[in-house]
Amino acid sequence: MHILLSNDDGYLAEGLVALANALTSVAEISVVAPDKNRSAASNSLTLEMPLRAYQADNGFIKVDGTPTDCVHLAITGLLEKEPEMVIAGINHGANLGDDVIYSGTVAAATEGRFLGLPAMAISLASTEEPGHFETAALVAVTLLKQLIENPLPQDTLLNVNVPDVAIKDLKGYQATRLGQRHKAEAVIKNRDPRGRAIYWVGPPGVEQDAGPGTDFYAVNRGYVSVTPLQIDLTRFESLNSIRKWLPVENHS
């Protein structure tokens, strides 16, 4: 199997290197990743300027764009051989609940799914500097083997969060749904050396919906959280109610 790897922490990130080293033993890999940290880039594409791709000293391809740019380029012409799957990570920190909306790692996997490939995003859930990348790398290999035997539905990608513990301390795996955070904390206002106002985006909100069955609950108890995500964001249960109040006349 030929697998495309990407991330949002940049081509030199420890998590990406650990993932590549682990998967090399079980698959052919190509790595196309941002040339610098692009965390929280979400699904943004660069449209108003050209993108440049370079072969880095570590053998990876670095792109001066977003994670979505990297995957899009790789699949639509950058690589000589098209990949059969996209794996994004290992992210330096969790992507739980609402985090998936902003995450560049999840966005890289999403772009793979948009372009017709099975995809997985994997993150090391740590509030401090992540340490056990080898655990998340082994989890990635384990899940890859399972996915080969049990392929994903065409409209599904997996969001995986791994507790930052040694592999021997991992409790197991749980299929989960996304939890939810409280709203983000207030921006932090300051001034630059010239007296102009500047703002730092505040930390994400704390856990709100984090009970049994959620990704928060699983990771907090030492389990790998495996959440299937769908790209279709339609809220189908609201369609009928909207149909009832939409105007029926054509005002043109």
Side-chain angles (χ1 to χ4, degrees):
M1 174 174 272
H2 180 207
I3 299 176
L4 170 63
L5 304 186
S6 194
N7 71 348
D8 70 359
D9 292 308
Y11 75 103
L12 292 174
E14 184 178 353
L16 180 64
V17 174
L19 182 63
N21 289 340
L23 290 176
T24 298
S25 63
V26 295
E28 176 187 358
I29 65 165
S30 296
V31 183
V32 183
D35 61 353
K36 59 185 176 182
N37 191 313
R38 294 282 187 149
S39 295
S42 191
N43 297 90
S44 56
L45 270 174
T46 302
L47 301 178
E48 296 297 325
M49 61 183 66
L51 295 165
R52 292 173 173 82
Y54 304 93
Q55 189 86 32
D57 291 340
N58 62 0
F60 299 168
I61 296 174
K62 60 179 180 178
V63 176
D64 59 348
T66 68
T68 299
D69 288 329
C70 294
V71 175
H72 191 92
L73 288 183
I75 295 175
T76 61
L78 180 63
L79 298 180
E80 293 184 5
K81 179 181 178 182
E82 186 170 313
E84 300 166 80
M85 183 177 184
V86 175
I87 300 181
I90 299 164
N91 192 64
H92 293 211
N95 278 308
L96 297 164
D98 313 73
D99 300 342
V100 301
I101 301 297
Y102 305 101
S103 168
T105 296
V106 176
T110 301
E111 186 66 12
R113 185 67 274 171
F114 272 144
L115 297 174
L117 301 182
M120 175 169 63
I122 184 163
S123 304
L124 188 58
S126 175
T127 55
E128 305 296 333
E129 187 67 24
H132 293 90
F133 287 107
E134 74 285 352
T135 300
L138 289 171
V139 166
V141 172
T142 298
L143 291 177
L144 173 62
K145 293 177 179 178
Q146 293 295 318
L147 288 171
I148 292 172
E149 297 296 325
N150 305 278
L152 292 172
Q154 188 67 23
D155 62 345
T156 306
L157 62 94
L158 295 183
N159 184 46
V160 180
N161 282 275
V162 182
D164 191 9
V165 298
I167 191 69
K168 65 181 178 61
D169 296 320
L170 206 59
K171 297 289 183 63
Y173 295 76
Q174 289 188 0
T176 59
R177 66 174 176 85
L178 293 178
Q180 189 174 0
R181 296 183 184 276
H182 288 280
K183 72 175 183 178
E185 296 183 23
V187 296
I188 301 168
K189 184 176 180 179
N190 210 322
R191 293 196 175 276
D192 68 14
R194 293 177 175 82
R196 296 171 297 198
I198 56 174
Y199 302 89
W200 290 97
V201 173
V206 297
E207 301 165 12
Q208 181 180 33
D209 177 9
T214 66
D215 46 5
F216 288 109
Y217 191 87
V219 168
N220 287 340
R221 282 156 182 77
Y223 291 88
V224 175
S225 166
V226 181
T227 306
L229 304 180
Q230 63 181 10
I231 294 174
D232 186 348
L233 300 180
T234 307
R235 187 175 179 84
F236 289 97
E237 59 267 31
S238 298
L239 284 175
N240 284 333
S241 63
I242 291 174
R243 288 190 185 105
K244 292 176 183 178
W245 59 255
L246 281 177
V248 294
E249 296 181 1
N250 186 348
H251 298 288
S252 60

